[in-house]
């Protein structure tokens, strides 16, 4: 996967070495990018038209896959996650009703606009500055079709930055973020990469896209992680004090005075007993019910969400973590749709 993830860069270097005119490359890149955005735009438009014709929906979760793994500092398997999550959602081993009674087979509850073709875009030599803008634009295209609200399937955690940026810019102001993770992902530029999955929330806070950032499940945090947390006023809830913090976290009220609530769930926030299929295994995490209790009791207008860092290459043979990620998506769908 590491070699595949860098194929686009190597391909561009070969073309440059062959003295291919720069404007020829740029025109080709622009065509691929426009085709990619057109597919997302038209699928979102179709789903939006369908829901508006059906009526009765104020907000509907719409899946948008972002199969990106090259900004991971360890393993890049999360790039393969979106199709595995979709497969688990609809695998038939359970019914299509969420715990709160929402019916996923109802398009007014859940739709799907497909994936941003990340690898195909990178294969054209598009760099990460531009790729992040393409991801943001894709999220905005979903939001343009009322009542769709993006539920993003990662991918590594670097995708949260362009997703949150898009939501904030589209809604015209900051959001409150509820972030489940074993790590704070707030390094300034981990290993020199400003778009590292370990730096996504630094970019979000620098950009002013969030008013409050609550991080739950933290149990692998460095001195820099704590210093960055203080710098940005992040509310970090570490697992070593979770028994004390539980009552507060199960009564959260977010989003008042801002544009709503964004929820980001890194699957490694869960203890590996519940979700072994992640790149960074950190014992001592949240139980699945801990996460659901916080989500179910959250008061606030959830305008978008993501589920990230599921790595199918490390999952069990029976796809246990895929089912966990799928259930997270199902319950987030219920929280978004109304």
């Amino acid at each position: 996967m590491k070699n595949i993830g860098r194929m686009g860069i190597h391909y561009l270097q070969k073309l440059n070495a062959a003295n291919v005119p720069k404007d020829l490359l740029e025109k080709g890149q622009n065509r691929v990018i426009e085709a990619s955005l057109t597919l997302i735009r038209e699928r979102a438009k179709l789903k939006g038209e369908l829901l508006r014709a059906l009526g009765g929906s104020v907000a509907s979760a719409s899946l948008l896959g972002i199969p990106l793994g090259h900004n991971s500092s360890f393993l890049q398997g999360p790039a393969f996650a979106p199709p595995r999550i979709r497969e688990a959602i609809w695998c038939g081993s359970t019914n299509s009703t969420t715990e709160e009674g929402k019916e996923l087979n109802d398009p007014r509850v859940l739709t799907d606009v497909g994936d941003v073709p990340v690898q195909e875009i990178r294969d054209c030599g598009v760099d990460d500055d531009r790729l992040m803008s393409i991801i943001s634009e894709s999220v905005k295209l979903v939001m343009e079709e009322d009542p769709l609200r993006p539920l993003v399937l990662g991918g590594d955690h670097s995708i949260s930055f362009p997703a949150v940026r898009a939501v904030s810019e589209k809604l015209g102001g900051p959001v409150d973020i509820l972030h489940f993770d074993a790590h704070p992902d707030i390094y300034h530029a981990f290993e020199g990469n400003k778009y590292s999955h370990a730096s996504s929330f630094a970019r979000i806070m620098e950009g002013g896209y969030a008013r409050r950032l609550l991080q739950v499940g933290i149990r692998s945090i460095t001195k820099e992680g704590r210093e960055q947390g203080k710098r940005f006023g992040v509310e970090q809830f570490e697992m070593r004090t979770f028994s004390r913090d539980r009552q507060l976290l199960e009564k959260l009220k977010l989003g008042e005075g801002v544009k709503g609530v964004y929820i980001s769930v890194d699957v490694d926030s869960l203890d590996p007993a519940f979700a072994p299929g992640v790149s960074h295994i950190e014992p001592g995490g949240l139980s699945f019910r801990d996460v659901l209790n916080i989500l179910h009791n959250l008061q606030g207008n959830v305008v978008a969400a993501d589920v990230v860092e599921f790595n199918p290459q490390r999952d069990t043979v029976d796809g246990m973590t895929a089912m966990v990620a799928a259930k997270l998506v199902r319950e987030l769908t219920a929280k978004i749709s109304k």
Side-chain angles (χ1 to χ4, degrees):
M1 178 60 193
K2 188 174 183 180
N3 291 333
I4 294 173
R6 293 183 176 178
M7 184 169 61
I9 296 171
H10 293 164
Y11 182 58
L12 179 61
Q13 288 173 342
K14 289 179 181 178
L15 290 178
N16 285 336
N19 296 317
V20 174
K22 184 178 180 181
D23 64 331
L24 183 66
L25 289 176
E26 290 180 348
K27 288 178 181 178
Q29 290 172 349
N30 290 340
R31 289 196 302 270
V32 171
I33 291 168
E34 183 53 38
S36 302
L37 292 174
T38 296
L39 184 58
I40 299 295
R41 180 186 298 111
E42 293 304 319
R43 291 196 64 171
K45 185 176 180 180
L46 175 62
K47 302 303 170 69
E49 289 173 342
L50 171 64
L51 296 190
R52 291 191 293 272
L54 288 172
S57 176
V58 176
S60 174
S62 190
L63 302 181
L64 173 66
I66 305 180
L68 185 156
H70 65 273
N71 282 319
S72 175
S73 60
F74 182 41
L75 302 175
Q76 299 185 3
F80 298 108
R84 300 288 77 79
I85 296 173
R86 288 188 178 94
E87 181 181 19
I89 291 171
W90 304 112
C91 72
S93 72
T94 184
N95 61 56
S96 61
T97 306
T98 71
E99 290 195 7
E100 295 184 334
K102 298 288 181 67
E103 176 53 60
L104 297 184
N105 284 324
D106 186 341
R108 292 169 296 186
V109 174
L110 179 65
T111 58
D112 192 337
V113 299
D115 292 351
V116 177
V118 171
Q119 188 53 51
E120 290 79 0
I121 292 170
R122 295 190 76 235
D123 189 44
C124 298
V126 173
D127 64 22
D128 263 9
D129 287 333
R130 199 171 184 190
L131 179 60
M132 293 296 162
S133 295
I134 294 166
I135 294 170
S136 290
E137 181 62 24
S138 299
V139 173
K140 289 179 181 179
L141 289 173
V142 176
M143 297 179 70
E144 284 177 4
E145 295 298 329
D146 188 63
L148 302 186
R149 293 187 176 182
L151 206 175
V152 178
L153 307 180
D156 68 44
H157 221 151
S158 67
I159 63 98
S160 292
F161 161 59
V164 171
R165 177 175 65 183
V167 171
S168 175
E169 289 179 348
K170 190 66 179 174
L171 295 178
V175 293
D176 286 343
I177 300 177
L178 176 59
H179 169 206
F180 295 90
D181 206 322
H183 319 86
D185 292 351
I186 204 165
Y187 284 100
H188 174 66
F190 190 70
E191 296 180 338
N193 180 7
K194 67 179 179 179
Y195 293 126
S196 169
H197 69 157
S199 299
S200 50
F201 288 90
R203 302 290 83 78
I204 289 169
M205 299 309 287
E206 285 172 353
Y209 303 120
R211 177 187 63 175
R212 294 179 67 187
L213 171 58
L214 288 75
Q215 300 184 318
V216 182
I218 305 297
R219 56 193 184 278
S220 179
I221 182 170
T222 64
K223 179 181 179 182
E224 182 179 351
R226 290 195 170 91
E227 289 175 346
Q228 285 281 87
K230 290 179 181 177
R231 174 190 172 195
F232 293 119
V234 180
E235 299 163 65
Q236 295 176 331
F237 297 91
E238 297 185 41
M239 284 308 300
R240 61 193 177 91
T241 60
F242 182 71
S243 59
R244 182 188 69 196
D245 299 329
R246 180 194 299 271
Q247 188 174 7
L248 170 66
L249 292 170
E250 291 182 356
K251 295 181 179 179
L252 289 175
K253 191 173 185 179
L254 300 174
E256 289 187 335
V258 289
K259 298 300 180 177
V261 182
Y262 186 104
I263 300 174
S264 180
V265 184
D266 186 322
V267 177
D268 74 22
S269 63
L270 294 161
D271 190 90
F274 299 93
V278 296
S279 299
H280 299 269
I281 294 172
E282 290 289 345
L286 297 161
S287 74
F288 193 83
R289 186 53 54 183
D290 290 333
V291 174
L292 285 197
N293 286 344
I294 294 170
L295 289 179
H296 287 165
N297 291 314
L298 171 66
Q299 297 181 55
N301 178 28
V302 180
V303 293
D306 65 54
V307 175
V308 298
E309 295 288 353
F310 163 46
N311 184 346
Q313 295 179 327
R314 300 196 88 182
D315 203 1
T316 58
V317 174
D318 59 357
M320 172 180 168
T321 313
M323 292 302 294
V324 167
K327 174 107 178 182
L328 288 168
V329 170
R330 292 158 65 96
E331 296 306 313
L332 285 167
T333 294
K335 201 70 185 176
I336 291 171
S337 301
K338 55 189 176 182

